[in-house]
Amino acid sequence: PGVKPGTAVLDAAQAGPADSGITVEQFKQDYRNKVERMYGDGLERVSDLDKYNALVSLVRDYLAEPWLNTKEKYRRTGAKQVYYFSIEFLLGRLLGSNLYNLGLNEVCQQALSELGLDLRTLRQVEEDPGLGNGGLGRLAACYLDSMASLGLPGHGMGMRYRYGLFEQRIVDGYQREYADDWLMDGFYWDVRKPAEAVEVRFGGNVRIKSNGKTQYIHEGYETVLAVPYDVPVVGYRNGMVNTLRLWSAEARLSEVVCAPQGGSDCQKAVEYSQTVEELSNILYPDDSTYEGKALRLKQQYFLVSAGLQSIIRNYRENNGHLREFPHKIAIHINDTHPVLCIPELLRILLDEEQLTWEEAWNITVQTMSYTNHTILPEALETWPEDLFRTVLPRLYLIVRDINEYYCRSLWEAYPGDWDRISRMAIISYNRIHMAHLAIVGCHSVNGVAELHTDILKNKIMKEFCDFSPAKFNNKTNGVTQRRWVSLCNPALAQLITDTIGPRWVEHPQELAQLERHSADTAFQHHLLKVKLQNKVALAKYVKEKHGITLDVNSIFDSQVKRIHAYKRQTLNVLHIMALYNRLKENPLLDIEPHTFIFGGKAAVNYHIAKNTIKLINSLADLVNNDKSIRDKIKVVFLENYNVSLAELIIPATDVSEQIPTASYEASGTGNMKFMMNGAVTIGTLDGANIEIKQAVGEDNIIVFGLTAEEVLAYYRGGGYNPWEVYQDNERLRQVVDQLINGFFPAAGDLFRGHFDSLLHQGDHFFVLKDFASYEAAHQVLDERYKDRPVWLKMCSANIAHSGRFSSDRTFAEYATDIWHIRPDTLPFSASEKQIR
Ligand code: HBZ
């Protein structure tokens, strides 16, 4: 408790020249003044939190001018604007990345050090803004960085949740959830814009007025005030600052009359404000099963309606008729959560602009595009028609009209094929299918890795793809090398820059030049040193936080991600148990010492996943306290995995565990971060792992297990028989039995659920089926590691070929193919980059 993941320090040379024009002297003076003006006290007497806040405030002052200039430039040039709507943005700490992108890092570090302060300590004060669950939210944050750094006029629209995803604590091996009160000490990066607040309407009813033309009058609704908070998104040294607009729900209490002596009306007012604010209070946890909560639907509409109103208001100030809208605005929806953008834009065009249906529909479709992130059927959103009608009566009528319009076109294409039409309809069996609405209402539908897009096109969305094939396309995910190398692994960044020059930060494809150095002894030696240094930093954290001593000369093997059956943390556990058994049988067994690192949150109601955490911790207790195996293996579960902890774990990792059941992980993005930092992947042929293999070549990745095709073929045939595998493999049988036979002395029957799902419930995720091949893959890995030059060549190859997994590449593709913005036509210097 109390120990927070630290932050790495950028080397002065790595930070490059201070092109901000601010000198160290100036910075020192500005900073002192800032502290004094904010706190009425001297630098020597204020707390670390005050120092941090003053620093943020100063950085914000520095970025005010480029922010203003960027907005001005957009107005002047009339450049097409992209709005990325996402219910989550998992930003991570911002001080380091903003200083870095502003080119102010070196100056700040120097200035603070001359004042006797340490930038690293102040960066550590910052709370992680926990505005997301995992991959989907972090992807949105990487994209913001790339859009600004590429000079793209692209902004985020999101929610300002009062409480983020829960804080995870491990108590007696179990996960316990605590409120993530990330705003407790304030958030100094955003600017509240009360003058730009808008009203969002819920409930009530719709009266149809007909005098020549039909009019829809929405009456008796409740109003919620949506107040925007703008967060600057700084581009990498290009003078650009885009905006992430986060919406917060507020009540206008002044409109609720209080009785003179307080009393019941005042109480009502307070209660009312509480129900209103509920809307942006909590981030829904992703349990990968969709839960039809009315509050969630309201949240989604709240974001969509507020976001669209502010876009249209801004558009009207600078442009003419909304007919031109798709030429000036692109709206991208991150999964189906913001899909109400489609009926809401239609509503505005129909009811407020009085356009015809055809006109309004064409504008909407041309404006909207959609990314799908999952094929898990239980995660696809559908809403009961009744609930939808009650909460959003006008939108309900519009969705019905879209459905009718669409079904009519289906009828023309497939006359008489009622079955197909009902499968493809937006409304069927009293439910509204949000993915269908998204496919119909967007001009582009993309998956997030090649395999995932293929599965969408040929399986999950096949009928839609047959009907409108041109919409479907792939955009393989990417991550920003600025946060995921430069900031989190400055020593590696320095080594890369020393070896191939600094251009890779903006042109990640140039990392390929490292290939020439991958067998070079001096380079390998440095690489090893960097990894060791990062392992020492992680080991220090683990010691302080968990009291566990790690052997920094062991293989650091990490699986950090949400805990989920399909991600198969259990497979990892069974393999470690087998390894432990082998060591117990033969304490002299010649294996490389291993440190197995786990981290990740389980959704609050996902009991089996929560038990997996207890299983990992039980194994850790057993293994770490068994002297007989002489520290050959260690297991640690790191509490409260978040962006900051990832920044510490990823650079220190040798082996990246990416072992989902093939076909389930749409893409994965952790896999990309690990490879960029020179870890070798052990993985299944799933999601982006397949493309990582193509990029690095089969010698530089270790793959195992069933392919997606094989998995899907088993499902078609009704599954497989885990008993046969269990009977045939003695080592496997032993570890499966150990789940329930007292091997974990204190666990009792706790892991019976795991045991049953593997043996008695058909092992849906093929854990037993893939076990032998996973074990063999680990043996190959150990062999390679033993031959250090070979291993280091593999690490280098991973770094060298990671350029393709930069979100800069992904976003250049979105810009050209989906939003029809050619980065090279933009009026900013950064647009000259060759990004494809
Ligand atoms: O999106 C993830 C995918 O599982 C992963 O494979 C992919 O790399 C990543 C980015 O494309 N999906 C999520 O992270 N999904 C969620 O976090 C989620 C959040 C709220 C929900 C449902 C899912 O209501």
Side-chain angles (χ1 to χ4, degrees), residues 88 133 135-136 139 286 296 337 373 448 477 566 665-668:
E88 304 184 0
N133 272 286
L136 171 146
L139 186 77
D286 151 45
R296 170 78 162 176
H337 319 135
H373 296 265
V448 289
N477 283 166
Y566 85 76
E665 191 67 272
S667 159

Side-chain angles (χ1 to χ4, degrees), residues 375-607:
I375 63 156
L376 283 177
E378 66 269 30
L380 296 177
E381 293 188 301
T382 66
W383 292 100
E385 237 181 312
D386 282 350
L387 173 73
F388 197 100
R389 186 177 24 218
T390 313
V391 176
L392 307 167
R394 177 63 185 120
L395 252 61
Y396 171 71
L397 294 177
I398 291 178
V399 172
R400 253 189 20 189
D401 287 348
I402 300 175
N403 187 47
E404 204 181 303
Y405 180 80
Y406 176 59
C407 287
R408 212 172 288 147
S409 65
L410 287 176
W411 177 261
E412 275 166 29
Y414 311 108
D417 195 346
W418 283 114
D419 282 352
R420 180 191 293 252
I421 295 171
S422 86
R423 280 194 305 272
M424 295 175 74
I426 296 166
I427 307 179
S428 64
Y429 299 106
N430 303 321
R431 296 194 80 89
I432 304 184
H433 295 257
M434 304 311 251
H436 298 189
L437 179 57
I439 299 169
V440 175
C442 290
H443 67 274
S444 167
V445 177
N446 75 279
V448 289
E450 278 164 18
L451 173 70
H452 172 231
T453 303
D454 281 349
I455 295 177
L456 289 180
K457 284 164 69 168
N458 302 317
K459 195 167 176 269
I460 312 291
M461 297 178 175
K462 180 168 186 330
E463 291 182 316
F464 295 92
C465 186
D466 291 344
F467 184 64
S468 35
K471 282 188 184 186
F472 287 82
N473 64 94
N474 177 58
K475 295 285 167 282
T476 298
N477 283 166
V479 301
T480 165
Q481 67 279 12
R482 286 166 291 274
R483 179 176 291 269
W484 295 108
V485 180
S486 304
L487 275 164
C488 74
N489 198 346
L492 177 63
Q494 181 66 58
L495 173 60
I496 299 172
T497 297
D498 288 348
T499 314
I500 61 167
R503 281 174 48 91
W504 63 275
V505 180
E506 289 171 275
H507 306 271
Q509 68 278 24
E510 294 196 5
L511 287 168
Q513 292 172 31
L514 286 173
E515 184 70 55
R516 276 188 282 126
H517 303 269
S518 63
D520 187 86
T521 329
F523 179 75
Q524 289 198 348
H525 170 77
H526 277 119
L527 196 59
L528 198 62
K529 231 174 80 180
V530 167
K531 188 60 81 184
L532 184 66
Q533 179 183 329
N534 293 330
K535 285 167 142 180
V536 169
L538 177 60
K540 180 167 176 278
Y541 171 80
V542 173
K543 181 78 193 168
E544 281 171 14
K545 173 100 184 171
H546 298 275
I548 300 172
T549 310
L550 302 186
D551 171 6
V552 292
N553 294 311
S554 65
I555 298 180
F556 278 26
D557 176 314
S558 307
Q559 187 176 20
V560 286
K561 48 182 80 251
R562 291 299 292 264
I563 314 292
H564 201 290
Y566 85 76
K567 295 181 189 273
R568 299 200 297 189
Q569 279 88 0
T570 317
L571 177 59
N572 193 344
V573 166
L574 293 181
H575 167 252
I576 301 169
M577 287 167 68
L579 194 61
Y580 174 71
N581 290 338
R582 281 168 60 206
L583 270 173
K584 288 296 280 180
E585 280 160 29
N586 175 11
L588 298 177
L589 190 74
D590 180 28
I591 60 155
E592 284 296 322
H594 262 85
T595 300
F596 294 99
I597 296 163
F598 290 86
K601 295 177 183 175
V604 179
N605 295 319
Y606 191 173
H607 299 293

Side-chain angles (χ1 to χ4, degrees), residues 307-324:
L308 275 180
Q309 287 186 56
S310 84
I311 292 169
I312 288 174
R313 181 191 280 172
N314 191 349
Y315 175 90
R316 284 215 178 95
E317 281 166 15
N318 302 299
N319 297 278
H321 196 275
L322 279 164
R323 278 195 186 90
E324 295 303 306

